[in-house]
Amino acid sequence: MKKYILLGLVLVLFTACENQEKRYTQQSKEIDIVKTAIKNYNDKVYDTSIYADTAKTFFNSSSKDKFMSPEETMAYHKANDEIYSSRRFTDNDPEYEMVVTDDGETWVNCWLEWKGTLAANNKEVTIPIHLTYQFVDGKVVREVGMWDPTQVLLALQEIERTNAMSADEKAIQKTIDNVTKAWNSNDKDLMYANMVNNIIRTGNGTTIAKKQSDYGDFMEVYFSAFPDFKVKIDKTVIVGNTAYINWTCTGKNTGSFMENEPTNKKIETHGFSVWTFDKENKAVKEDAFYDNLVVFHQLGITPPTQ
């Protein structure tokens, strides 16, 4: 008899659990609706059908009074589209979940990666974004988006500075862009085309190059050791015929470097260069300053004694 009673209790508990609404899931019709909204955004389909008429959207806003209606939200996306030549949420590990709160509210949270390319300068920006949607009767009644806009703001400021440059400054900036492109593609011909024949290059006060071929040999030292060697310009200030540049270099050591065997380790080093240009906006001299010990430490090798 006791066995039947216990079996009955188990069945009652099991049935109660089955009938209880799920408080957390990663598969639901609400999540599917959010995924459709993300796809619509990527496809530039400005559809408000997922929203209730009274829905409120809050983007990077902590104020209850600063919200957008569904129509204003679509207008917001359309206005931003004019800034970018391309933009979308990527397929890089998106996460979706639905939760039901203690108050019975249904929310879908998603963590996404957004990538855009600015139309004015082709600068690519990647930003992690958190979006959350509250649902009532299958419709979104509240949308909240939070992200760090710093990268975009700095990029837009850079575009404004470029637009405000004089003709001479823009010509020098073009030379800098070409030199950076030459570094990133190991294109010595492009490098030489933007330099005078007797280009001077110093590193921490030591003369490394006195002519174009010397500079090319210097490039080869790094590309033979780091075939994926890349240079990123962090900041440029142009004053007259001189440019002051902060830069970051990265690469993976798969070749011999300064008589050391490859370590297959990655480097990231930061430095500062002062570039001087002639009246034809060709590079005359580069004085570079950086900490070689950072590179040797990252590679785990002993620096040369001389």
Side-chain angles (χ1 to χ4, degrees):
M1 185 65 179
K2 289 183 178 179
K3 290 182 179 180
Y4 290 114
I5 294 174
L6 289 174
L7 179 60
L9 289 173
V10 169
L11 289 173
V12 169
L13 290 173
F14 179 78
T15 303
C17 290
E18 283 290 301
N19 292 332
Q20 187 177 16
E21 184 181 12
K22 286 185 178 180
R23 300 292 297 275
Y24 176 89
T25 183
Q26 290 188 302
Q27 293 182 343
S28 70
K29 62 181 182 181
E30 288 85 0
I31 290 176
D32 291 339
I33 290 171
V34 171
K35 288 182 177 180
T36 298
I38 297 302
K39 183 179 185 302
N40 285 345
Y41 173 84
N42 285 348
D43 295 340
K44 295 187 178 181
V45 175
Y46 306 101
D47 182 18
T48 61
S49 64
I50 72 165
Y51 298 94
D53 293 339
T54 57
K56 298 179 180 180
T57 295
F58 300 81
F59 285 159
N60 282 338
S61 174
S62 59
S63 172
K64 294 182 179 180
D65 299 324
K66 293 184 179 180
F67 61 86
M68 295 180 288
S69 68
E71 291 75 17
E72 289 170 334
T73 302
M74 296 302 109
Y76 169 87
H77 291 317
K78 288 180 181 179
N80 278 339
D81 284 345
E82 297 180 5
I83 301 174
Y84 302 98
S85 58
S86 65
R87 92 293 182 273
R88 65 183 292 107
F89 289 105
T90 73
D91 296 325
N92 186 18
D93 294 330
E95 288 288 340
Y96 297 88
E97 67 173 18
M98 190 186 83
V99 297
V100 178
T101 69
D102 290 344
D103 295 328
E105 295 179 347
T106 300
W107 292 84
V108 172
N109 297 308
C110 54
W111 294 265
L112 306 166
E113 180 184 77
W114 180 93
K115 182 176 291 186
T117 301
L118 289 160
N121 61 2
N122 290 321
K123 184 178 180 64
E124 190 176 88
V125 179
T126 303
I127 303 172
I129 291 182
H130 176 225
L131 297 174
T132 184
Y133 301 81
Q134 183 184 3
F135 281 82
V136 173
D137 297 329
K139 292 285 187 178
V140 174
V141 297
R142 185 180 179 92
E143 176 185 13
V144 180
M146 301 298 291
W147 63 89
D148 182 356
T150 304
Q151 285 190 63
V152 173
L153 294 176
L154 291 176
L156 292 176
Q157 289 174 4
E158 181 181 336
I159 292 171
E160 290 180 0
R161 285 195 298 269
T162 300
N163 291 339
M165 285 181 176
S166 67
D168 289 338
E169 289 172 335
K170 288 181 179 179
I172 288 176
Q173 182 62 58
K174 184 176 180 180
T175 300
I176 294 170
D177 293 342
N178 286 337
V179 167
T180 305
K181 183 179 179 180
W183 263 113
N184 287 332
S185 58
N186 193 18
D187 188 340
K188 296 182 179 62
D189 291 336
L190 178 60
M191 185 68 78
Y192 298 161
N194 287 274
M195 295 176 164
V196 297
N197 291 330
N198 58 340
I199 178 73
I200 301 295
R201 206 265 187 189
T202 69
N204 297 326
T206 300
T207 300
I208 295 172
K210 293 184 179 180
K211 56 182 183 293
Q212 288 183 353
S213 59
D214 291 345
Y215 202 102
D217 292 342
F218 170 69
M219 292 174 65
E220 194 58 37
V221 169
Y222 281 88
F223 278 98
S224 61
F226 308 90
D228 62 343
F229 190 80
K230 289 291 183 289
V231 176
K232 181 173 74 73
I233 303 300
D234 300 315
K235 184 178 181 180
T236 301
V237 176
I238 299 173
V239 180
N241 69 332
T242 304
Y244 304 89
I245 302 174
N246 293 90
W247 44 261
T248 299
C249 292
T250 58
K252 184 176 181 179
N253 179 217
T254 58
S256 177
F257 180 61
M258 295 187 178
E259 301 182 353
N260 291 281
E261 292 298 315
T263 64
N264 290 313
K265 294 182 178 180
K266 294 182 179 181
I267 64 164
E268 178 175 323
T269 183
H270 308 276
F272 174 75
S273 289
V274 180
W275 285 81
T276 307
F277 303 88
D278 65 9
K279 292 182 179 180
E280 295 179 353
N281 302 308
K282 288 192 173 184
V284 174
K285 186 179 183 182
E286 178 194 7
D287 294 305
F289 304 90
Y290 44 89
D291 188 351
N292 269 327
L293 289 177
V294 171
V295 173
F296 289 111
H297 176 73
Q298 290 175 349
L299 295 178
I301 60 179
T302 304
T305 56
Q306 295 183 348

